[in-house]
Amino acid sequence: MVATLEIRNLHASVDGEDEMILRGLDLTVKKGEIHALMGPNGSGKSTLANILMGNPAYEVHEGEVLLDGENLLDLEPDERSRAGLFLAFQYPVAIPGVTLGNFLRHAINARMKAEDPDSKGIPIPKFARLMREKMTQLQIDHAFAGRYLNEGFSGGEKKRAEVLQMAVLEPEIAVLDETDSGLDIDALRIVADGVNALTGPDLGVLVITHYQRMLNYIKPDYVHVLYEGRIVESGGPELAVELEEKGYEWIRERHEALAHFQA
Amino acid sequence: MAVVRRRSALPQAPSFSWADVQSLSDAHDEPDWLRARRREAWEIYRNTPMPYQEEEWRRTDYRHIRWDEAERLIQANGATAAVVPAKNLEPLTGAEQGGLLVFVDGNVVRSELAPSLEKQGVIFTDLRTALRDHSELVERRLMTQAVRATDGKFAALHAALWDYGVFVYVPRNTIAELPLHVVCYNTSAGAAMGHVLVVLDDNAQATMQVEYASNVTDGQSAYIGATELIVGDAGNLRYVSLQDWNRDTFEFSHQRGIVGRDAQLDWVNGVMGSQLTKAFIEVDAVGQGANARVSGFFFADRDQFFDLDTQQNHNAPLTNTDLLFKGAARDRARTLWQGMIKSLPQMQRIDGYQVCRNLLLSDEARMDSIPGLEIEADDVACSHAATFGTLEEEPIYYLMSRGITRPQAQLMIIEGFFDELLQRIPFERVRQRLMAEIEAKIIG
Ligand SMILES: Nc1ncnc2c1ncn2[C@@H]1O[C@H](COP(=O)(O)OP(=O)(O)OP(=O)(O)O)[C@@H](O)[C@H]1O
Ligand SMILES: [Mg+2]
C-alpha cells in the first residue's frame, strides 16, 4: 500500500483556547507526491504542521489524521516520527549541551530500539560515515556535528540542519515548514537539491511556503491555499504563480463572496 | 499559609577535647611548631560558638547530625586499595599517569609518582610524610595563607585535629605534565579531617584531581576538611575536585585558592554525594593580572542539602575571576548557592563574574541562589546572575519529534545542561563517568 497522510475535517486551537485556528481542514498527501501549502501570515500553516507532529501546545477538537490508516492523533510525537512522519520546523529550538551529531545518533538508535529492543544501536563508524555523506551533500561544514543543536546557528544553518535531519532519518511523509525562508539564493538551491535528492516514490512532501520561489526548485504536483482555517483553493503549480502575482487579496474576496453566497 | 519554622534547639557541638589534639600529636610525634599551631587553633575552636544564626549559616540546618556517631575519629582498619571502587581508581587518561595517592580511612594505601616528575623535583605525597621530609615547606604554607583556623568554627576544628592529607609541591619553572590523582575513600562511619595542600612555585604548572567517596556505613560521618591551592606568580593549576560521600555524611569544608601575579587557576568542583554539604569555596586573586576560573556542578536528590558558599576576592588590580555554577535538584532536595565578589579599595581594572544556573526537577525540591558584590573600586566590570529553570516542554517535543522517547529526551536535556561544565574537566574518561553518574541520578 502507498503510504498516505489523510487529514479529515480537522478543527484545532491553541491548547486551552476556544478560538479555532483550523476549522475543518481536509488534505491528503500520498507517498511520491509533492504538495505545496500556501497562505497568508497567521492562517494556521504552522499550527497544522505542529498538530501533525503532536505538539502538546495545540489541541485538536474535531477530525482525524491518519497515516497509512493508523490514527496519528493517538500517538506521541516520537511514535509519529518512528511511524515515518517528519517535520522540518519553521523555528527549530536550540538545545544547549546536546550536539547535533549525538542527537541524530540517539534518533537513529531510538528507531532501531523500537524495532528490536535488544538493538545495540548504530555503530559509531557507520553513523560517522552517514553523517559525513549527508553533510557533504547539504554543504554543511562537518564541524557542525559537534556543535550544540541549533545554538548560535544562523537562520540558514538551522534550515539546513533540519533538512540534514530529514536526510538522515528518511521519513515517508515530510512536512517542510517555511524551510526556504531566510535562505539566500545559493542556500535555497542547496536545500532544494537536498530535498529533491530525497523525493521520489518513497517520500510524500508537504511544502509550506509563502513564496513561489521555493517551488521553482521543488516542483509541486498540487498547490493548496489555507485561509481562515480551511483549504479554500487547490490546483496545480500554476496556482502558486497566480498567488505570487496577485497576492492573497483575491482569495479573500472570493472566499468572502462565497461565504456571503452560502449565507 | 506561610509556615514559619522556629529553631527550637541550638546545634549540638561534637565532644572533641584538648586531650584528643594532644594524643594525635603524640601518636605522630609531631614537631613543636605544629603542636603550637594546633593549640592555637584549639583555642579558637573552643572560643567560637557552633555556627547557627550568622548570615552564611542561617539557611543551613545541620542539627540532625548525630555527633555521637559522627565525631568518632575514623581509624584505619587494615583495608587496602582493594576496597576502593574501580571507577575511582581508573587512570585519569589513557596515557601515562603522573601520580596516584590513595587513602582508605585516612591511611595511605598507595603512593606513586612517575619517575619523570620525581626527577623534576615534584613532591606528591601524603602530608605526614611531607612533614618529615619537607618540614620547612609545609611549615611555611600549611594553613598560613589560604585556609586559616580563624575562617570559622570548622576551619578551627580542622586546624586543631586534621589527621591526614596530601601535599603537592611543584618547583619554580617546572611543568608537571602528567596528571596527579588523589582518592580519599572511607569505609566506616565517623569523623574524617583530610587536608589538601597544593603549592605551585613561580611559573610552575600542574593538573590534578581529587576524589572523595565512601561506602555505605551504619552510622553518620562528618568530613571536616580543608583544601589549600597556592599558585605562585605565573603559575598554572588545573584542579578538579569530585565529592561523592555516602548519604550519611555531613561535609563541612573550607577550600581556598590563592592566585599570584599573572597566574592562572582553573578549578572545577563537583558535588554529588553526602547528606549535607556546607562548603566555603574561595579564590583570592592576590597578584596583579591573576586569573581564576571557578566552576561548580551539583546534583541533589532525595533529601540531600547542598550549601555552596563562594567568594571571589580581588586583592590586586587587573585581576579576573570567572565563576560558573550549575546545579539540579530533584525529589525533596535543597540547594543553596551564595556568591560574593569582593575587592580591596582602589583595585582598578578588575573583572569579576559570577553566575549560578539552577534546574529544578521536582515541585518539592528547592533551590536558592544569592549573588552579591562588595566592590570598593570604580574601574571594574563585575556582574552576577542567577537563573532558575525547569524542564521545558518545547525542547522535549523537538527531540521527540525525531523519534526519541520522552524519558530519553529529558535525560539528554539535563545532561546537556551540565555539558558545558563537564567540558571544563580535562579528562575525557572522567567526563564520561560523571555523565553516567548524572544519568543514574536522573533515572533514580
Ligand atoms: N502557541 C501559540 N500561542 C498563541 N497563539 C498562537 C500559537 N500558535 C499559533 N498561534 C496563533 O494562531 C494563528 C496561526 O498561527 P500559525 O503560526 O499557525 O500561522 P502561520 O500560517 O504558520 O503563519 P506564518 O506564515 O507567519 O508562519 C496566529 O494567529 C497565531 O498568532
Ligand atoms: Mg508558520
Side-chain angles (χ1 to χ4, degrees), chain B residues 134-377:
Chain B
H134 311 282
S135 184
E136 282 121 83
L137 271 177
V138 176
E139 181 180 354
R140 193 148 71 88
R141 306 289 198 164
L142 182 70
M143 299 199 79
T144 57
Q145 245 182 308
V147 178
R148 289 175 224 219
T150 48
D151 285 350
K153 178 81 171 175
F154 289 102
L157 180 57
H158 173 89
L161 271 171
W162 68 263
D163 55 348
Y164 72 100
V166 182
F167 179 69
V168 179
Y169 176 77
V170 184
R172 164 189 294 264
N173 298 328
T174 302
I175 299 176
E177 295 232 19
L178 307 173
L180 304 170
H181 187 186
V182 178
V183 180
C184 301
Y185 191 78
N186 290 336
T187 65
S188 51
M193 308 216 191
H195 194 96
V196 174
L197 174 57
V198 180
V199 180
L200 264 55
D201 215 323
D202 294 348
N203 198 30
Q205 291 186 24
T207 301
M208 182 169 172
Q209 173 163 303
V210 180
E211 303 181 33
Y212 301 92
S214 50
N215 67 355
V216 176
T217 52
D218 49 354
Q220 290 188 343
S221 296
Y223 178 74
I224 298 157
T227 298
E228 305 188 90
L229 311 175
I230 300 169
V231 189
D233 295 349
N236 185 321
L237 175 63
R238 290 198 291 181
Y239 188 87
V240 179
S241 161
L242 304 174
Q243 189 260 77
D244 195 15
W245 295 125
N246 71 24
R247 300 311 178 89
D248 287 313
T249 300
F250 290 64
E251 169 170 327
F252 305 98
S253 64
H254 286 263
Q255 312 171 27
R256 189 191 295 260
I258 303 277
V259 193
R261 187 181 175 111
D262 297 326
Q264 168 87 34
L265 171 63
D266 189 347
W267 184 0
V268 182
N269 218 317
V271 179
M272 303 282 273
S274 79
Q275 160 66 232
L276 177 147
T277 291
K278 171 74 180 175
F280 293 93
I281 300 163
E282 304 194 23
V283 283
D284 294 3
V286 298
Q288 179 173 317
N291 255 290
R293 184 169 78 164
V294 187
S295 316
F297 65 91
F298 51 96
F299 194 143
D301 65 10
R302 290 183 267 164
D303 55 357
Q304 285 184 305
F305 183 105
F306 299 158
D307 174 358
L308 309 176
D309 215 306
T310 67
Q311 194 161 311
Q312 297 150 263
N313 299 309
H314 291 258
N315 299 350
L318 287 153
T319 46
N320 185 358
T321 66
D322 172 0
L323 180 139
L324 172 64
F325 273 51
K326 277 191 165 191
R330 57 170 288 184
D331 308 325
R332 281 151 287 112
R334 237 203 107 173
T335 68
L336 171 62
W337 167 76
Q338 313 184 64
M340 179 62 75
I341 301 179
K342 283 192 177 179
S343 84
L344 291 182
Q346 265 75 59
M347 288 306 146
Q348 300 308 332
R349 299 178 59 194
I350 62 175
D351 192 341
Y353 174 82
Q354 56 173 342
V355 58
C356 183
R357 304 203 183 282
N358 298 282
L359 182 63
L360 258 163
L361 298 172
S362 95
D363 293 340
E364 288 165 289
R366 175 165 173 195
M367 306 183 85
D368 290 288
S369 287
I370 308 168
L373 296 177
E374 274 175 30
I375 304 291
E376 299 181 56

Side-chain angles (χ1 to χ4, degrees), chain A residues 14-15 17 19 21-22 39-50 55 57-58 90-91 177-178 208 210 226:
Chain A
V14 169
D15 189 36
E17 303 280 326
E19 196 186 318
I21 303 170
L22 303 181
N41 284 118
S43 56
K45 303 183 295 296
S46 294
T47 301
L48 172 65
N50 276 288
N55 186 338
Y58 298 91
Q90 182 175 9
Y91 304 114
D177 191 2
E178 311 263 1
I208 296 174
H210 263 82
L226 180 60

Side-chain angles (χ1 to χ4, degrees), chain A residues 58-229:
Chain A
Y58 298 91
E59 187 179 346
V60 173
H61 296 258
E62 210 183 314
E64 54 184 4
V65 180
L66 307 173
L67 183 64
D68 296 339
E70 187 181 11
N71 187 356
L72 262 196
L73 299 179
D74 286 346
L75 303 181
E76 290 293 314
D78 57 319
E79 297 170 309
R80 300 182 194 200
S81 167
R82 297 196 300 267
L85 184 68
F86 182 88
L87 168 59
F89 286 83
Q90 182 175 9
Y91 304 114
V93 57
I95 306 193
V98 178
T99 64
L100 177 60
N102 198 24
F103 159 60
L104 271 175
R105 197 163 54 80
H106 273 102
I108 292 175
N109 289 346
R111 288 173 151 64
M112 295 171 72
K113 287 229 166 64
E115 254 165 49
D116 169 14
D118 296 330
S119 165
K120 294 263 184 297
I122 185 168
I124 305 256
K126 188 174 170 195
F127 175 71
R129 260 197 316 277
L130 177 70
M131 283 292 280
R132 276 198 299 272
E133 180 201 326
K134 303 294 184 190
M135 292 179 102
T136 304
Q137 192 179 19
L138 287 159
Q139 298 186 27
I140 297 173
D141 184 349
H142 290 189
F144 264 69
R147 296 228 351 223
Y148 290 159
L149 193 52
N150 295 320
E151 195 170 68
F153 286 23
S154 71
E157 286 164 350
K158 284 184 190 164
K159 298 300 166 85
R160 264 191 246 186
E162 291 292 296
V163 178
L164 171 72
Q165 293 172 42
M166 173 177 162
V168 168
L169 298 177
E170 297 183 334
E172 297 183 356
I173 301 284
V175 180
L176 307 180
D177 191 2
E178 311 263 1
T179 302
D180 54 336
S181 64
L183 295 181
D184 61 37
I185 195 72
D186 293 331
L188 179 65
R189 196 173 293 129
I190 294 162
V191 164
D193 286 349
V195 174
N196 284 329
L198 302 168
T199 55
D202 293 333
L203 178 68
V205 185
L206 179 63
V207 183
I208 296 174
T209 182
H210 263 82
Y211 307 106
Q212 196 253 336
R213 198 174 69 137
M214 170 88 145
L215 305 179
N216 290 332
Y217 297 97
I218 302 172
K219 297 249 182 301
D221 304 301
Y222 307 94
V223 175
H224 312 276
V225 180
L226 180 60
Y227 184 77
E228 300 217 316

Side-chain angles (χ1 to χ4, degrees), chain A residues 50 53 55 77-78 81-82 86-87 89 93 96-98 103 106-107 110-111 148 150 162 165, chain B residues 393-406 408 412-413 415-417 419-420 423:
Chain A
N50 276 288
M53 201 69 246
N55 186 338
D78 57 319
S81 167
R82 297 196 300 267
F86 182 88
L87 168 59
F89 286 83
V93 57
V98 178
F103 159 60
H106 273 102
R111 288 173 151 64
Y148 290 159
N150 295 320
E162 291 292 296
Q165 293 172 42
Chain B
E393 202 50 47
E394 198 188 0
I396 293 173
Y397 162 59
Y398 186 78
L399 295 184
M400 287 178 77
S401 79
R402 303 306 187 228
I404 294 166
T405 60
R406 178 174 285 274
Q408 180 69 30
M412 288 172 75
I413 290 164
E415 289 181 356
F417 172 77
D419 193 70
E420 173 186 15
Q423 291 304 330

